[in-house]
Amino acid sequence: MEAHTLHRRLGALLAGIGIAICIVVATSLILPRQDVYDDSMDYGYVYSGAKSSSVDFIHANLTDETLLVLGSSEFSTPARLVPQIPAKTFGTHNYGARFMLVGEAFDQSLWDTIALGALAKEGLPKDKVALIVGLGMFTDGGLDASTFSTRFSYTLYREFCSNPRIPRDVVAKAQDRLSEQGIDETTVRSAAPQNPLDIIDGMVIGGIDDLRLRSQLNETRAAGIPLAAGPVQTPDWAELHAQALRDAQRLSTNNDWGIEDDFYASQLEPALESLKDARADETYTDTPEYDDLELFLTVCDSCGIKPLVVIEPVLGKYYDHIGISLETRSAAYQHIRSIVQSHPTAQLADFSDHEYDKHFLFDIVHFGWTGWIDAEKSLYEFATEGK
């Protein structure tokens, strides 16, 4: 880079920093820090992108009983449709285990890898993490760059890059994937700076992201639920499962698919004819997602974190209808299993054999009434093993 070009860019960046510092100072007088929270409330079950991107807020709300659970859109299911979601099963009962649900729709294994590396920098309770994956993450072509960019978190990425337990070649692999997903070079370089300009870029980008999170976390704080009180109980899984079936029978009455009434009537039934064999060319093989899952487990190994990978099934009857065969799906599930099983400390909670179980899902891809109970049982046993 020529000297005058370098000087011009440096001057512009310094001016930008001056403006950013003024904004940060002014805003700091109004917005609370990221780690501020109400200790009478539980925020682990709040579906929030700000929470999921704030290392400080998450760590402030972790306890010795908390299991970090990384996932995606399954965390957005409302209790009015599925009363068995974690916010109701665990958020309102003291079962001696709490879950910190982190993730939103379109968060896949690359995002999870960066989030884990960021959160593991300061350690995790019992050095454990759970990850929920489903076939929708492994479709041919992978997640498009425009969608990924809406979920990218600079704060998580910066902490990931500065975690000394993650080997530099692993950081480099994540950086390459971020570039492939459309994250600009300035942002990618700034969190692992190689020169003073990278450092300046990182200060500006980080300051802006801090302001964004601090403003959005106010909404997260307002959505917390009172901490479950009373003596520690043991979940009655048989009764919870029985209640799940009762709720499913009440909420799934207009179809023989075993899914929620409104979803069937408004989303599925009107499209069935046009969807017949519409995805017959799907293979679940032409995707970078398997390598991203491998990268996630490698970060677990590097940070001394023991993972539980929960495999969420799809609705078999629907996927048969759209032309993705059981053979194709089974091969994808097996690929996921083989990756997990190649890591000695990793555990599996594999629900792929529930594709044809009524009421296991409430739509075509998300845990439903009995599905959440079974998943929660696996999470609870993992969180409390050795107690």
Side-chain angles (χ1 to χ4, degrees):
M1 183 180 293
E2 296 182 4
H4 70 278
T5 302
L6 179 62
H7 291 156
R8 187 171 61 249
R9 185 184 173 199
L10 182 58
L13 286 171
L14 288 173
I17 287 176
I19 295 171
I21 290 173
C22 291
I23 295 173
V24 168
V25 171
T27 308
S28 296
L29 300 175
I30 303 171
L31 296 174
R33 296 181 328 208
Q34 291 185 44
D35 61 358
V36 171
Y37 72 105
D38 181 343
D39 61 8
S40 70
M41 306 297 284
D42 192 336
Y43 301 99
Y45 306 100
V46 179
Y47 183 71
S48 165
K51 180 194 82 174
S52 295
S53 293
S54 177
V55 174
D56 291 343
F57 189 80
I58 291 172
H59 268 285
N61 285 275
L62 295 179
T63 73
D64 291 342
E65 295 182 338
T66 306
L67 174 66
L68 175 66
V69 184
L70 299 172
S72 185
S73 53
E74 61 275 348
F75 295 156
S76 68
T77 302
R80 62 181 174 80
L81 298 183
V82 181
Q84 285 67 40
I85 61 172
K88 290 298 182 182
T89 302
F90 279 84
T92 59
H93 295 85
N94 182 7
Y95 287 139
R98 295 165 60 182
F99 301 145
M100 174 59 71
L101 307 183
V102 170
E104 287 187 291
F106 304 112
D107 288 344
Q108 300 191 178
S109 293
L110 176 59
W111 190 95
D112 295 323
T113 298
I114 292 170
L116 173 66
L119 294 167
K121 180 180 174 182
E122 297 182 25
L124 294 174
K126 298 183 176 60
D127 293 325
K128 291 181 179 180
V129 66
L131 173 69
I132 299 175
V133 301
L135 288 193
M137 299 168 63
F138 299 90
T139 52
D140 294 342
L143 185 66
D144 66 272
S146 61
T147 301
F148 180 84
S149 66
T150 66
R151 293 297 305 123
F152 173 73
S153 166
Y154 184 79
T155 295
L156 292 178
Y157 171 57
R158 179 187 60 202
E159 294 303 302
F160 169 86
C161 288
S162 63
N163 185 336
R165 302 178 72 181
I166 302 176
R168 294 303 92 182
D169 65 312
V170 174
V171 172
K173 287 179 182 178
Q175 291 176 317
D176 288 343
R177 286 288 293 122
L178 288 177
S179 296
E180 292 171 4
Q181 289 294 98
I183 304 303
D184 66 272
E185 181 181 357
T186 297
T187 300
V188 171
R189 288 171 57 94
S190 66
Q194 300 177 22
N195 58 55
L197 293 178
D198 293 340
I199 296 173
I200 294 171
D201 287 335
M203 292 172 62
V204 173
I205 298 170
I208 292 172
D209 204 42
D210 176 63
L211 290 180
R212 177 185 67 85
L213 291 176
R214 289 171 69 175
S215 64
Q216 294 176 356
L217 281 169
N218 282 333
E219 184 176 346
T220 301
R221 295 183 185 99
I225 61 175
L227 284 168
V232 175
Q233 307 169 53
T234 300
D236 185 340
W237 297 110
E239 175 53 32
L240 289 169
H241 194 274
Q243 182 60 52
L245 285 175
R246 290 192 290 269
D247 288 331
Q249 289 160 5
R250 174 174 57 87
L251 294 162
S252 176
T253 63
N254 65 358
N255 64 90
D256 61 0
W257 298 64
I259 59 179
E260 192 268 331
D261 284 345
D262 287 343
F263 178 84
Y264 176 79
S266 63
Q267 302 294 319
L268 187 55
E269 186 178 31
L272 279 176
E273 185 175 348
S274 64
L275 288 171
K276 178 66 175 173
D277 295 325
R279 293 182 58 194
D281 59 349
E282 179 66 61
T283 69
Y284 295 113
T285 60
D286 182 22
T287 175
E289 187 67 26
Y290 296 112
D291 289 338
D292 291 344
L293 177 59
E294 175 66 39
L295 194 64
F296 173 86
L297 294 167
T298 298
V299 171
C300 287
D301 294 340
S302 300
C303 295
I305 302 297
K306 182 178 181 180
L308 170 71
V309 177
V310 179
I311 301 180
E312 188 172 21
V314 296
L315 190 67
K317 185 175 179 179
Y318 171 80
Y319 275 69
D320 292 340
H321 180 79
I322 63 176
I324 305 178
S325 69
L326 176 59
E327 180 181 13
T328 296
R329 302 193 309 266
S330 297
Y333 288 131
Q334 179 52 41
H335 198 164
I336 297 169
R337 283 192 291 269
S338 65
I339 293 171
V340 177
Q341 291 166 345
S342 69
H343 292 260
T345 66
Q347 295 185 23
L348 264 171
D350 182 3
F351 298 108
S352 60
D353 59 351
H354 291 269
E355 281 197 344
Y356 295 97
D357 290 5
K358 277 190 173 183
H359 312 314
F360 198 84
L361 304 174
F362 88 95
D363 56 10
I364 58 175
V365 293
H366 296 116
F367 285 128
W369 305 277
T370 60
W372 260 124
I373 293 301
D374 285 0
E376 287 162 351
K377 185 173 186 288
S378 69
L379 293 170
Y380 172 79
E381 290 176 345
F382 180 66
T384 59
E385 65 181 358
K387 277 185 86 171

